Structure formats: C-alpha cells, structure tokens
Amino acid sequence: MLDVVNLSHTYGKGPSAHQALGGIDLNVAEGELVCVVGPSGCGKSTLLRSIAGLIKPTAGQIRIRDVAVSDTPGDLAVVFQDYSRSLFPWMTVGDNVALPLRRRGGDRAARRAAAADALEEVGLAAAATKYPWELSGGMQQRVAIARALAYRPSLLLMDEPFGSVDAQTREDLEDLVLKVRELHRMTVLLITHDIDESVYLGDRVIVLKKSPATVVGELSVKLPFPRDQIATRELPAFVHLRAEVGRLVRGKDPFRPFQA
Amino acid sequence: MISARVARGAAGVAGLLIAGELAGITGLIDPDLLPRMSTVLSGAVSLATDGDFLLDVQGTLLVWGLGLLIAVLIAVPLGVLLGSMPRTERAVRPLIEFMRPVPSVVLIPLVTLLIPSDHGVKVTVIVFAASWPILINTMYGLKDVDPVAKDTLRSFGFGDLSILGRVSLPSAAPFMLTGVRLATSIALVVALSAELLAGGSDGIGAYMIRAGAGSRTDLVLAATIWTGVLGLLANSLLLSVQRRAFRWHTVKSGGGS
C-alpha cells in the first residue's frame, strides 16, 4: 500500500548540511499497522513529513497504492503530537472534525453527520459544541483522532500521537487506536520513541538508528488480538519482542548468555 | 475584582478633581488662569446639550471614523500580503521602520499644500498615523501563525489559499483587532491635532480654538474632558469586542486549559 524506496533527505546545503534520512526502505501493506521506533531526533518526523508531502525529500521515492507521491497526497490524515496546536481554537470541536471533509465534497449536513459519527466513535459525542481548549489533553487528542477518522483516509499517519498525555490516558488512547483500526481495517503508520508502545500496537515494528536515519531492523509482532494492556504486556512473547526492539534501538548485539 | 478596579480608578479621578478645586478655593491657583474644577465640570455638562458643540463632535467623529476605516482597508490587506511573503517583508521593513516614527503632525503643512479640503487633510493625516499599528500587528499576527496548524490542513490536501483563509487569517485576527484598538487612540489624538493646527470650520479642536479666542478656558477644558471620554469609550468598546469574539485567544495565550 505504502512503499518508501531509498528515501533520503538533507536539510540545508554546504558544510552546515545535515542529513536526516539516509536511504530508507520500508513498506506498509493494506490494513497493516506498522510502528516506526527510534531514538529521539533520529529523523522519524522527517520521514513522516516526507510521506505526508509536507517536505520534499532530496532523493528516493514514495508510492501510495503504486502511485508516486508528489506534493500532498490528499488521501491521508496525520495525527500530530501537539494536539493543542493542531486543533483550531476558534472552531468548535464539531467544526474542527468536519473541516477536512470539505475536501471530500458533500453538503454541510453530511459533513456534520460524519463528524458526529467520528466523535461518537472516540467517545466524545457530547463534546461537539465545545471548544478544544475546554477539553483535557487526552480528550483533545481524541478529537484529533476523530478528525482523522471522519476523513476516512487510505493511510493514517501518527507522529508520536501520545507523547504529550499522561500514562493512563496514553493506554486508553492506544486501545482506542487498536479499536478503530480494527473497525475500519485502516492502514496505519505510527511513529514513536516508546519501545513498549511500538510492540503493543504494531503488527510490525521497524527500528531506525539515528543520524542519518536508516532502518536497522524489522520485527513481526505475532501477538494475539484483542490486545490487553495487562495481559498482552505480561506475555513472554511481548517481553522478548520489546527486548529485541530495545537492543536494535540501542545498537547492541543480541544477548547470548551461553556464549562466553 | 473588576468593580474594585473601577472604584480605584474613580477614586484617582475624584482625587484630582478635589485637588484642583481646593487649589482654586484657597487661591493657590488664580481661577482666571485655571478655572475651578466645578466650573469646568458644569461647563462639560452644559456642552452635552450645546448644539454647536455637538456639531463639532460630529465633525471629529466623522474624520476619526473615516480615517480609521481607510487605515483598516489599506493596512490589513497590506499586512496580510507582507506577513505571508517573508522576503518582500524583509525588503520593505526598513522603509516601514523609517516612516513609522515620523510624527504625523509634521505632515500637516505638506498635506495642506497638496489637498485643498481641510477634511481631506485631516483624514489623510489620520490614515497615515493609524495605519502603522494595524500594519505592524497584522504582519506580526501572520508570522505568528502556528506551523503545526498550517501543516495539519496541508496534510489533508488543502492548498495555500485555503490555508490562508481557514488558518492564517482567523489565527491573526486578534492581533489585527489589537492593532485597530491602538490605532483608534492614535487617530483621535491626530484628529484633534489636525483640527487645532490645520484650521477648518468644525471639529472639537476648532471648538477649542473658538473657546480659547473668547478666553473661555473652562470650556476648552470641558471639551478636553469630552475628548477623553470619547477615547475611553472607543477603547472599551473594542476591548469588549476583543474579549467576546476572541475568547479562545485570551484562553490560549493566558496558558489556560
């Protein structure tokens, strides 16, 4: 569904140039939830911004459903970490969710109905007439998720979506993503620096190393669904996977206890 | 809390009035030089029903309002244009910084030569003075638009023009209104200055000149009080519009939620 081929990006020119991405290859299959994990400042966001068409990568190719992406694809949605900056404070929650639907055509009533459905899915049916800043941080991020859902994107990109909320809210939002993704068979690429989160959410985890970012490993997460914050995280397979991902992130060799 | 602030402000005004009155009664100040406050206040009350004075107030309101309106029509679009084109803005900025501190009063002789009508002179000078705060605040508001907000709309496939209309302008609107509010006070000052310096037959300034020529210092001061009241009213009106329409902005910049 999404193919990223040999993607490179360099900020600036000359001696002060900084190469953020150093030839990244990855793909996401239809309906798959892939987590990209890597240390802070490794270029994860540059990767996501390239896919979203917000920056033009210096080299490489991005294809969505075999169509090369130039500019903004227009058929994807992004959930940013900074919900308070990404939602528009001068609009009600309902209008925020309905706004992108203008790109989809349809009349005002249809947009409102779609927005109301999406808000209901994230458990905020009653908040449509409120303003974003009247809601808690976790609720604001739910609104941002509802906005992405209402748009019915063929690809949902999430950039550290739970980086600014407390631990309890984070777990709730993780389960919300799993739920809506299951419901709509959505294709999701989620970027995080949290190793546990990448394993808990992902069908597959892609690990990046930093400066410039390159793919150092890829793990298939074969944990049963539905996932559960307590039960899934105590499975031996979960513990093993998070150790593997952790080693890749830290750039250490696999731990081999029986070899001297 | 608000009523306490009002009470304190009123106490300050009352203190000044009482001190002025006492200075007159005790003979500290010659009432021929500075009339007693009670005389000035009763003069102000009588002016409220004085047909001639009200015509002059009307004249001032006309040039004040017209000047402001034209300033908004020029400075807001220009500010939006410059604020969304950083390179052009950098080229024009030194020019703005050079022109902005020029006191508009010094333009009156020049403008008088160029424009025959005295109303035209007043409005021109007001437009010149009132445009700067609106222009600067609009430019600042546009540069202050959150890049994440713009990226959000862009990622959904919206183009530059939609982003300008749906994100940049609403987000900069509170700054524009602040500019207009500052310009309103400046415009009133300039309107009075122009009326006093450029002559002309109507306006509060013209009334003051006539009252001064008749040695009615009390009425000059009474007219001054009404000018202050006009400025205060305009400012509070715009402040309350700002609080109501842009509550989201106050809440956000106040670090709320």
Side-chain angles (χ1 to χ4, degrees):
Chain A
M1 203 255 116
L2 170 72
D3 295 288
V4 173
V5 185
N6 198 21
L7 190 74
S8 296
H9 188 70
T10 306
Y11 288 105
K13 281 194 176 101
S16 66
H18 165 68
Q19 194 183 9
L21 304 178
I24 291 195
D25 293 285
L26 63 84
N27 57 74
V28 180
E30 201 85 45
E32 197 181 19
L33 196 166
V34 172
C35 292
V36 173
V37 66
S40 296
C42 78
K44 301 186 295 281
S45 289
T46 305
L47 171 66
L48 180 132
R49 292 170 63 81
S50 306
I51 298 172
L54 296 173
I55 51 176
K56 240 188 171 52
T58 349
Q61 214 191 12
I62 298 162
R63 284 197 304 268
I64 294 180
R65 288 190 175 138
D66 285 324
V67 179
V69 168
S70 58
D71 286 332
T72 327
D75 195 27
L76 53 79
V78 185
V79 173
F80 292 92
Q81 175 178 353
D82 273 319
Y83 44 79
S84 67
R85 297 168 63 190
S86 164
L87 297 174
F88 306 125
W90 53 86
M91 285 181 179
T92 62
V93 163
D95 289 343
N96 262 285
V97 174
L99 175 59
L101 300 176
R102 288 174 173 275
R103 293 271 309 152
R104 292 276 196 244
D107 63 4
R108 193 180 157 85
R111 291 200 296 269
R112 292 227 155 161
D117 287 349
L119 281 169
E120 174 136 29
E121 270 183 57
V122 302
L124 283 178
T129 54
K130 292 204 163 126
Y131 285 88
W133 37 270
E134 293 176 310
L135 307 178
S136 70
M139 285 159 95
Q140 289 184 44
Q141 194 59 304
R142 278 172 192 267
V143 175
I145 293 171
R147 180 169 62 184
L149 284 179
Y151 194 63
R152 299 262 177 274
S154 55
L155 174 64
L156 174 62
L157 299 173
M158 304 183 95
D159 188 4
E160 301 265 6
F162 316 128
S164 303
V165 296
D166 61 84
Q168 176 62 49
T169 308
R170 185 185 188 108
E171 293 186 351
D172 293 346
L173 290 176
E174 284 168 359
D175 289 336
L176 174 69
V177 167
L178 287 175
K179 185 193 97 180
V180 296
R181 174 267 172 151
E182 175 72 29
L183 209 60
H184 299 290
R185 299 307 315 156
M186 249 189 322
T187 313
V188 186
L189 182 70
L190 185 143
I191 279 174
T192 177
H193 66 268
D194 186 312
I195 294 164
D196 284 37
E197 181 170 277
S198 70
V199 175
Y200 180 74
L201 288 176
D203 299 325
R204 200 147 51 86
V205 176
I206 293 171
V207 183
L208 300 186
K209 77 157 186 61
K210 74 195 275 182
S211 39
T214 47
V215 175
V216 286
E218 203 179 302
L219 289 152
S220 202
V221 181
K222 297 208 162 54
L223 295 171
F225 287 97
R227 291 187 184 164
D228 178 88
Q229 290 288 354
I230 308 292
T232 301
R233 286 173 196 265
E234 69 181 355
L235 292 174
F238 180 91
V239 177
H240 177 71
L241 277 164
R242 58 168 289 214
E244 291 275 296
V245 174
R247 253 178 226 119
L248 285 167
V249 168
R250 283 159 193 271
K252 288 192 177 141
D253 289 333
F255 181 56
R256 295 198 177 86
F258 301 114
Q259 289 176 4
Chain B
M1 204 185 92
I2 286 172
S3 62
R5 211 188 308 160
V6 169
R8 216 163 283 178
V13 173
L16 179 72
L17 292 179
I18 291 169
E21 186 69 16
L22 285 178
I25 293 173
T26 54
L28 197 68
I29 297 175
D30 180 359
D32 287 339
L33 280 178
L34 185 73
R36 285 199 203 161
M37 283 301 145
S38 51
T39 322
V40 173
L41 281 182
S42 71
V45 171
S46 71
L47 281 187
T49 53
D50 181 336
D52 283 348
F53 179 70
L54 290 181
L55 272 180
D56 284 319
V57 171
Q58 209 179 5
T60 299
L61 287 178
L62 188 75
V63 290
W64 186 23
L66 193 62
L68 262 179
L69 182 70
I70 298 175
V72 169
L73 292 179
I74 293 175
V76 167
L78 198 61
V80 169
L81 211 63
L82 290 176
S84 38
M85 300 191 304
R87 278 164 206 224
T88 318
E89 191 258 323
R90 272 197 288 280
V92 181
R93 191 89 202 186
L95 192 65
I96 294 177
E97 292 303 330
F98 171 74
M99 304 264 284
R100 195 160 64 105
V102 172
S104 43
V105 177
V106 307
L107 293 178
I108 292 176
L110 176 68
V111 179
T112 311
L113 287 177
L114 297 175
I115 300 173
S117 118
D118 66 290
H119 284 110
V121 173
K122 291 174 198 167
V123 171
T124 307
V125 182
I126 292 172
V127 169
F128 177 83
S131 293
W132 302 116
I134 305 177
L135 178 69
I136 304 270
N137 275 280
T138 305
M139 278 161 60
Y140 180 79
L142 263 113
K143 282 199 284 187
D144 190 62
V145 178
D146 198 317
V148 176
K150 289 199 246 184
D151 280 351
T152 300
L153 223 49
R154 198 181 305 278
S155 68
F156 281 114
F158 285 82
D160 286 340
L161 217 58
S162 301
I163 292 171
L164 178 71
R166 298 194 183 283
V167 177
S168 301
L169 290 184
S171 161
F175 293 90
M176 296 177 193
L177 189 60
T178 300
V180 171
R181 197 164 56 80
L182 296 174
T184 304
S185 307
I186 293 173
L188 182 62
V189 171
V190 174
L192 264 289
S193 312
E195 284 164 1
L196 289 169
L197 293 173
S201 51
D202 63 347
I204 301 177
Y207 179 87
M208 286 175 175
I209 290 178
R210 293 200 305 271
S215 297
R216 290 297 303 271
T217 320
D218 58 327
L219 291 182
V220 175
L221 285 173
T224 310
I225 289 179
W226 281 116
T227 312
V229 169
L230 285 181
L232 200 64
L233 282 179
N235 193 52
S236 349
L237 180 77
L238 288 172
L239 259 184
S240 79
V241 170
Q242 198 157 14
R243 287 213 191 94
R244 261 161 235 251
F246 301 130
R247 199 156 59 93
W248 59 268
H249 188 252
T250 335
V251 172
K252 275 208 103 180
S253 50
S257 89

